[in-house]
Amino acid sequence: MHGQSYKDVLEGPAPEGRLGEAISRLLAILASPEMARWRPRMVIAFLITLASKGFAVSAPVAFGEGVNAVSRSLGEGGAGVAGFAAAGGLLVAYGLLRFASSGAPQLRDAIFAPVTNDAQRLTAVQGFAHVQSLSLGYHQTKRTGAVNRIIDRGANAVDFLLRFLVFNILPALVELALAACVAAVLYGWEFAAIIVVAVLAYALLTWSMTEWRVKLRRIMNEADTEVNARSVDVMANFETVKAFAAEERETRRFDDAKTRYAGAATNSQQSLAALNAVQAAIMNGGLLAVAVLGAWKALNGQLEVGDIAALTMMLMQVYQPLNILGWAYREIKQASVDLERLFQTLRLRPEIEDAPGAPDLTVSGGAVRFETVSFAHDGRSRSVDEVSFEIPAGAYVGLAGPSGAGKSTLLRLMFRFYDPDEGRVLIDGHNLADVTQSSLRRNLGLVPQEVVLFNDTLRNNILYGRPEADEAALWDAVERAYLKTFVESLPDGLETRVGERGLKLSGGEKQRVGVARAILKDPPILILDEATSALDSETESEVQAALAEAARGRTTIAVAHRLSTIAKADLILVMEDGRLVEQGSHGELLSAGGRYESMWTRQIEAGEAEAV
């Protein structure tokens, strides 16, 4: 991860966001092969922008010459036809140049719109795909709302930097240079000096004040991110909030976050008012200097009345793009921070990566073997300690033990969400570290303790493990999961939407949807992670029948809280404190009088075990 942990990126302070790095990354995006088709549009749009600045500088000159033509005609004793024609022609040219200077950017925006939208899309998709590729450790650490904001802001930063750096800041510098040259050549070097000094003073004061404002803005954005992340956390877990009657507490916490944001936003707005006042003083001072010097030169016969009008309009034209310089500079700085934050995320590397040239896993039977496997989570001494066992192909194996014994860790090692610190995990003799993760997980099916469904239709949730399945296979899975009667009772059948995380369905219905999904996927190895522990006895018997159907003909590993659910297993593995302490059939383990026998007796005494 290049020296940065997941926690550093997700919870650390905002990066520096240097503008030069942001520009280089922006250029890298534009130079990417995916953007090659838009390069002709980029060139055309930039040329149109430069042309519009040429029109903008020429327009005041045409207006000034038109006023001079009128003044000369009046000085000659009246407005003759020739004088009117000359003045009229220059004023018409002024109108056309003004229209061209204001209309060209609209044409440019129309031409450039697909470029910015596609650049945003590519950036957002790259960020989204990279986050999906990161290992389980990242997704256990992340706050969904904050990560979404990082991706959204990074994509929006690309659009902003493109528009303002290419079409505002750079063209404004070109316009300033043109205006200074034209003023020096036509009206005198003093005016060029006033224009340059005024603009430089404007830019320097704007830069210094905006640096101060960027710090305030960063505080405001961090407060905004906290508000968004807290809101998403509470809304996603509203059932827990209600169950603990914590509505008022969460509202207070949200109010605290909003209060911090309001204070930061107030400071930001007040600093903006101060910046605007300073900018207005510089702008009007420059206009006053041009007007006074122009009047003095006109009285001395060095300039005409129209020249003063042209100079004033020219300076106002140069000021026009600078009106938003403070805002644009602040936003550009913020956009560079947002882009850096996204690229900081993109620099993260998955903790678990495929070996170079790793082949796909081919499962012939589904035999599973753990060879002296040890693994420790962060902050724990040992989660799994020197565990060894072998599961024959096609066997039904139960995994038992108290909470924290290491059962779920073994399953995560099988999915290669983690790599063992020591030892190997093999399927049909293939070391999982040597094959691709995607091919491994294609060969594994999972029915967890709580099946989490997407806010989509029943059809799409069942098809999630095998989207290409046909209608016959889909209905076969529905029927084998004992879902057909339920589906047929719904007005919309398989097109029924299940709600956020499947909350419109009961626990048993969700579990059977998870079973149908696993049956449709048809993996050679099925993992049941306490798939019925959260259900009542009646619903459990229905789901157990569906699970038995799902397990038929494949290697099955069932983690069980209720030992009665694995009593008929071919092999039972008993875990305690990260170690495999017993293994054997139900009868053998009872006869041994060890850990399993005491667990079984305790469940019988508690009235939880059923007749086998």
Side-chain angles (χ1 to χ4, degrees), residues 163-435:
R163 291 185 179 279
F164 277 84
L165 287 176
V166 178
F167 296 144
N168 190 284
I169 303 301
L170 182 58
L173 294 175
V174 172
E175 185 173 8
L176 172 62
L178 286 174
C181 291
V182 169
V185 172
L186 297 182
Y187 310 117
W189 65 269
E190 302 95 335
F191 295 105
I194 291 173
I195 291 173
V196 172
V197 168
V199 170
L200 288 178
Y202 185 103
L204 287 173
L205 280 169
T206 298
W207 173 79
S208 61
M209 293 189 71
T210 302
E211 282 293 306
W212 164 54
R213 293 197 69 243
V214 164
K215 297 175 183 176
L216 299 178
R217 178 75 176 188
R218 185 174 294 125
I219 295 170
M220 186 181 77
N221 278 343
E222 289 171 357
D224 176 51
T225 297
E226 176 62 24
V227 168
N228 183 267
R230 181 156 301 285
S231 175
V232 170
D233 282 348
V234 172
M235 293 301 181
N237 297 289
F238 77 93
E239 194 169 358
T240 303
V241 173
K242 286 191 173 295
F244 284 86
E247 293 93 339
E248 291 186 12
R249 186 196 329 154
E250 291 298 344
T251 300
R252 285 195 302 271
R253 294 173 71 186
F254 182 76
D255 183 40
D256 290 342
K258 265 293 189 183
T259 300
R260 289 192 293 273
Y261 173 76
T266 298
N267 292 336
S268 179
Q269 290 166 5
Q270 290 173 343
S271 65
L272 176 61
L275 175 61
N276 288 338
V278 170
Q279 289 174 332
I282 294 173
M283 289 172 62
N284 288 292
L287 288 171
L288 177 62
V290 166
V292 170
L293 179 61
W296 183 80
K297 284 203 167 193
L299 291 173
N300 287 305
Q302 296 174 279
L303 292 179
E304 298 182 66
V305 176
D307 298 336
I308 300 174
L311 283 164
T312 303
M313 291 180 65
M314 192 179 299
L315 187 55
M316 292 179 67
Q317 188 71 39
V318 172
Y319 278 149
Q320 188 173 351
L322 297 179
N323 281 333
I324 60 169
L325 181 61
W327 174 80
Y329 178 72
R330 184 201 72 211
E331 293 299 319
I332 287 171
K333 287 282 288 184
Q334 182 58 46
S336 68
V337 170
D338 293 339
L339 199 59
E340 172 59 25
R341 189 74 158 184
L342 176 60
F343 274 86
Q344 189 181 43
T345 302
L346 291 174
R347 284 196 296 270
L348 290 173
R349 305 307 312 163
E351 293 171 322
I352 308 300
E353 292 188 279
D354 292 340
D360 286 347
L361 172 65
T362 302
V363 176
S364 55
V368 177
R369 189 163 77 250
F370 275 62
E371 294 181 349
T372 58
V373 170
S374 296
F375 174 76
H377 289 285
D378 290 339
R380 299 189 187 183
S381 55
R382 276 291 190 215
S383 300
V384 171
D385 190 11
E386 295 186 350
V387 171
S388 296
F389 60 83
E390 186 163 357
I391 300 174
Y396 188 101
V397 175
L399 192 56
S403 296
K407 304 185 299 296
S408 294
T409 301
L410 289 182
L411 301 188
R412 287 175 171 173
L413 290 168
M414 271 198 67
F415 274 92
R416 209 186 164 208
F417 292 148
Y418 308 118
D419 276 337
D421 297 331
E422 298 172 12
R424 301 189 303 167
V425 183
L426 302 99
I427 293 179
D428 286 340
H430 301 288
N431 188 348
L432 301 191
D434 297 334
V435 300

Side-chain angles (χ1 to χ4, degrees), residues 437-455:
Q437 296 174 68
S438 59
S439 67
L440 165 64
R441 292 163 193 163
R442 283 197 301 269
N443 284 286
L444 299 176
L446 173 67
V447 182
Q449 181 176 3
E450 182 185 356
V451 174
V452 178
L453 304 179
F454 293 93
N455 191 357

Side-chain angles (χ1 to χ4, degrees), residues 34-35 37-38 41-42 107-122 159 162-163:
E34 294 89 345
M35 296 294 293
R37 58 180 175 148
W38 301 121
R41 282 179 178 260
M42 297 180 201
L107 176 61
R108 174 206 66 204
D109 288 346
I111 291 173
F112 203 72
V115 182
T116 56
N117 288 325
D118 211 31
Q120 277 186 284
R121 177 187 65 83
L122 287 170
D159 175 67
L162 274 174
R163 291 185 179 279

Side-chain angles (χ1 to χ4, degrees), residues 29 86 140 203 309 449 474 495 550:
I29 292 170
Q140 290 176 329
Q449 181 176 3
L474 172 62
E495 306 310 318

